[in-house]
Amino acid sequence: MSEIIITYENLYEILRREKYRSELQKVDSTFYRDVVKYLKEKTAILESQAKKDSIFASTEVEKTQTQLRNVQKILKELYEKRENKILQFALFTSRSQNPQDTSNMLPEERAFYEKIKSVLDEHRDGILLNLLKNQSPVVVGIEQKDLKTEEKTDTISVRILDDIPEFVGPDLKTYGPYQKEVVQDVPKDIANLLVQTNQAKNENT
């Protein structure tokens, strides 16, 4: 494979194509390596120019510095244009679940794409698909609590002091009957009511 020569002009042309075409543009697989080589060569030229002692040295240094700054701006914009396209590509693939052509991606970009798609798939399966099955979302990294655990955290253990017949609480739900000397887990509001009326004792105090 012949070596790709990077210049300011062809970098600008690569960016121009990426900006004005909707699909991800094909670049050589060694693009990053070639860009690093170009930048090192330009930096070496700049250092050499800075050591010269002539009336033209400062002009040459300023020109090279300006070009390097412009190249860095081009590379940043090019990266972000391609990054955005890859993100949209991963989102479309995750939603459609259809295999897509990734041949225009650089190896590093393909790894990024696969990682993003994996995260999107994981969250789509854990949230949307569970909701459609009438199930609570399950997301890796977030502690899941089932309904029984949630209910238990809202209850208090009390010892029943007298036999209590079935009754309707303030929330219009039916509670009881409760037998004397039995330790019972009941909702906080009901526990407070029973304790206040001397029908139960809080076992946690």
Side-chain angles (χ1 to χ4, degrees), residues 130-189:
N130 275 315
L131 288 176
L132 296 179
K133 296 175 184 177
N134 299 330
Q135 297 175 356
S136 297
V138 177
V139 180
V140 174
I142 297 179
E143 183 180 354
Q144 305 298 320
K145 295 181 180 179
D146 58 27
L147 292 178
K148 290 183 179 179
T149 302
E150 290 180 353
E151 289 176 0
K152 188 173 182 180
T153 60
D154 290 330
T155 62
I156 293 177
S157 294
V158 296
R159 181 178 297 278
I160 305 301
L161 301 179
D162 290 303
D163 289 337
I164 302 174
E166 185 177 283
F167 65 95
V168 177
D171 56 2
L172 302 182
K173 293 182 180 179
T174 301
Y175 297 94
Y178 300 131
Q179 294 181 344
K180 183 178 179 179
E181 294 302 321
V182 172
V183 175
Q184 190 78 40
D185 287 337
V186 296
K188 290 181 180 178
D189 290 344

Side-chain angles (χ1 to χ4, degrees), residues 4-148:
I4 303 299
I5 303 299
I6 295 291
T7 65
Y8 177 86
E9 289 72 21
N10 64 24
L11 279 177
Y12 183 83
E13 177 59 23
I14 290 171
L15 173 60
R16 190 191 67 80
R17 290 201 309 269
E18 205 67 65
K19 286 175 67 175
Y20 296 107
R21 297 181 185 178
S22 58
E23 68 276 9
L24 192 70
Q25 297 301 293
K26 180 73 174 178
V27 293
D28 193 81
S29 60
T30 61
F31 177 73
Y32 288 147
R33 185 185 68 193
D34 297 331
V35 165
V36 170
K37 181 180 179 183
Y38 168 78
L39 291 173
K40 286 182 177 180
E41 289 174 349
K42 278 293 179 183
T43 301
I45 291 172
L46 180 61
E47 292 173 350
S48 175
Q49 290 171 341
K51 293 177 182 178
K52 291 181 180 179
D53 185 17
S54 71
I55 59 174
F56 303 108
S58 61
T59 301
E60 292 175 348
V61 167
E62 184 177 348
K63 182 179 178 180
T64 304
Q65 286 176 333
T66 299
Q67 191 173 60
L68 272 171
R69 285 195 297 269
N70 289 338
V71 166
Q72 289 172 343
K73 290 178 182 178
I74 288 174
L75 291 172
K76 181 176 183 294
E77 187 173 0
L78 177 62
Y79 176 86
E80 290 175 352
K81 291 292 181 185
R82 293 179 69 85
E83 177 186 55
N84 186 60
K85 290 180 181 181
I86 292 168
L87 288 170
Q88 294 300 319
F89 199 74
L91 183 59
F92 174 79
T93 307
S94 178
R95 288 177 175 176
S96 67
Q97 291 298 305
N98 293 324
Q100 304 294 323
D101 181 12
T102 61
S103 59
N104 282 1
M105 294 182 191
L106 294 167
E108 297 85 354
E109 292 174 332
R110 192 172 295 111
F112 170 60
Y113 160 77
E114 293 293 347
K115 185 178 292 186
I116 293 298
K117 180 181 174 298
S118 175
V119 171
L120 290 170
D121 289 345
E122 182 180 286
H123 281 253
R124 178 173 291 273
D125 292 345
I127 298 174
L128 178 60
L129 295 188
N130 275 315
L131 288 176
L132 296 179
K133 296 175 184 177
N134 299 330
Q135 297 175 356
S136 297
V138 177
V139 180
V140 174
I142 297 179
E143 183 180 354
Q144 305 298 320
K145 295 181 180 179
D146 58 27
L147 292 178
K148 290 183 179 179

